[in-house]
């Protein structure tokens, strides 16, 4: 398990490294764009700061080039396109990081079943006896874990076996509810992958998220959790989209990186489950 945990950390480190490279690349591109735009203004040629694009495709019958659209993109629109591209990069990095997290939980859940089959829900071991389960190799439990798609059910099983997880989820350094936060990140990942980060029905999104977290409360949602959700969204009415750009701290030159914040949460939560619960219980000689 230690090897797999180190692989998880290595994979997340790759995500962070890529995020830094993307940020540096976007910054350089923006600075060059501004420099060129300013040069055109000073030369009285501001109109040439726009870029022009023709779009075409080849005919299915004879291969002839058919132009179907053209765009003139001014400086402000080019800046917006660059910002949107940066956001899309970060959205996919959130999705990738969460998938690595899911894979780790999948492994830890399998180890829980392998070491203590009785800790698994009975429906997972239906048709088996305590004797047959004791003879099953780890790979059998891992395959079962892979076929069970619900992350929340796996975490709930770990939570029942290790009640201290439920305690730290509520009371922790970050001052957030991790049971809810993991559901939120999972929902964001789902929307990124399946709808390019766009939410068409915000109220439906809220209802689904709070229900998954077991915190519906008849639609009377916790204001602090609503604030946490809105930190990663922009929009109005029913239509919203996920935002993973930096947030400027008022009155300072500093920014808060939304992507880094989510990665930090995933690392902290995964580290606690592995180093404080799974490792000492089943791999006491490991040194994570």
């Amino acid at each position: 398990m230690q090897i797999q945990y180190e692989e998880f950390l290595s994979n997340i480190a790759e995500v962070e490294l890529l995020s830094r490279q993307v940020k540096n690349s976007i910054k350089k591109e923006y600075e060059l764009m501004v420099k060129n735009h300013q040069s055109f203004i000073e030369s009285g040629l501001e109109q040439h700061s726009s870029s022009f694009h023709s779009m075409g495709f080849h005919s299915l019958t004879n291969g002839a080039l058919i132009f179907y659209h053209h765009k003139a993109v001014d400086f402000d629109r080019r800046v917006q396109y660059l910002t949107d591209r940066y956001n899309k990069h970060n959205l996919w990095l959130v999705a990738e990081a969460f998938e690595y997290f899911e894979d780790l939980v999948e492994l830890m859940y399998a180890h829980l079943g392998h070491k203590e089959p009785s800790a698994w829900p009975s429906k997972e071991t239906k048709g088996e006896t305590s004797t047959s389960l004791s003879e099953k190799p780890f790979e059998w439990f891992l395959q079962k874990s892979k076929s069970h798609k619900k992350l929340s059910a796996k975490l709930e099983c770990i939570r029942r076996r290790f009640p201290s997880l439920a305690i730290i989820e509520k009371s922790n350094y970050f001052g957030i509810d991790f049971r809810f936060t993991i559901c939120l990140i999972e929902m964001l990942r789902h929307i990124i992958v399946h709808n390019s980060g766009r939410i068409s029905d915000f109220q439906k999104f809220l209802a689904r998220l709070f229900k998954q977290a077991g915190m519906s409360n008849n639609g009377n949602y916790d204001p602090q959790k609503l604030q946490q959700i809105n930190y990663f969204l922009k929009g109005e009415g029913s239509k919203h989209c996920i935002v993973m750009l930096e947030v400027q701290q008022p009155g300072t030159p500093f920014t808060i990186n939304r992507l880094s914040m989510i990665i930090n949460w995933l690392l902290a939560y995964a580290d606690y489950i592995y180093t404080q619960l799974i490792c000492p219980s089943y791999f006491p000689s490991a040194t994570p």
Side-chain angles (χ1 to χ4, degrees), residues 22-268:
V22 168
K23 181 178 179 178
N24 289 336
S25 177
I26 293 291
K27 181 181 179 182
K28 290 178 182 177
E29 189 172 346
Y30 173 73
E31 289 173 348
L32 180 60
M33 191 186 302
V34 171
K35 180 180 178 181
N36 291 339
H37 180 62
Q38 191 62 38
S39 178
F40 280 122
I41 291 175
E42 292 171 357
S43 302
L45 300 170
E46 184 176 351
Q47 69 274 17
H48 294 291
S49 186
S50 298
S51 62
F52 301 89
H53 307 268
S54 294
M55 287 79 171
F57 63 95
H58 292 279
S59 167
L60 188 63
T61 56
N62 58 18
L65 184 60
I66 301 172
F67 291 99
Y68 70 93
H69 203 73
H70 67 274
K71 282 183 177 291
V73 185
D74 63 17
F75 174 75
D76 291 338
R77 181 62 64 87
R78 289 165 63 201
V79 171
Q80 187 59 55
Y81 283 163
L82 186 65
T83 302
D84 291 343
R85 175 152 55 90
Y86 182 33
N87 189 55
K88 286 181 180 180
H89 275 297
N90 286 346
L91 293 184
W92 282 104
L93 290 176
V94 167
E96 187 173 348
F98 188 76
E99 285 162 12
Y100 287 132
F101 171 79
E102 280 187 307
D103 290 344
L104 182 68
V105 173
E106 192 173 81
L107 278 165
M108 293 191 291
Y109 181 69
H111 277 292
L112 171 62
H114 184 230
K115 299 294 184 177
E116 294 184 57
S118 61
W120 267 23
S122 57
K123 63 180 179 181
E124 294 275 26
T125 56
K126 188 176 180 179
E128 301 290 339
T129 65
S130 57
T131 301
S132 67
L133 287 170
S134 67
E135 296 171 349
K136 298 289 186 186
F138 170 73
E139 288 70 23
W140 184 88
F141 290 92
L142 181 58
Q143 188 55 47
K144 281 278 188 179
S145 182
K146 288 178 181 292
S147 64
H148 189 348
K149 301 300 183 184
K150 290 194 68 174
L151 174 69
S152 58
K154 296 172 189 176
L155 290 175
E156 181 59 28
C157 182
I158 295 173
R159 199 176 287 120
R160 284 197 303 269
R161 170 59 182 82
F162 299 104
S164 60
L165 177 58
I167 296 173
I168 200 73
E169 284 176 330
K170 291 286 187 182
S171 178
N172 53 74
Y173 166 81
F174 298 97
I176 59 176
D177 186 329
F178 265 91
R179 180 171 186 154
F180 177 81
T181 298
I182 296 301
C183 288
L184 170 60
I185 303 172
E186 182 179 18
M187 187 71 76
L188 295 179
R189 177 261 171 203
H190 178 82
I191 293 167
I192 290 167
V193 172
H194 296 284
N195 204 32
S196 300
R198 298 186 298 270
I199 300 171
S200 56
D201 189 329
F202 184 55
Q203 291 303 318
K204 186 176 180 180
F205 163 79
L206 288 180
R208 182 178 176 187
L209 171 58
F210 279 94
K211 181 179 180 181
Q212 183 172 318
M215 303 174 185
S216 294
N217 194 28
N218 296 319
N220 297 312
Y221 305 135
D222 182 340
Q224 186 176 355
K225 292 180 174 60
L226 288 174
Q227 183 178 13
Q228 185 182 14
I229 294 167
N230 286 319
Y231 194 76
F232 299 100
L233 303 177
K234 72 173 183 179
E236 56 184 39
S238 63
K239 297 184 182 299
H240 287 68
C241 62
I242 302 170
V243 181
M244 283 296 152
L245 301 172
E246 284 86 358
V247 181
Q248 189 73 41
Q249 291 185 287
T252 77
F254 305 110
T255 59
I256 299 173
N257 190 310
R258 289 179 172 103
L259 171 60
S260 294
M261 181 182 294
I262 284 180
I263 289 175
N264 197 346
W265 289 342
L266 292 175
L267 283 169

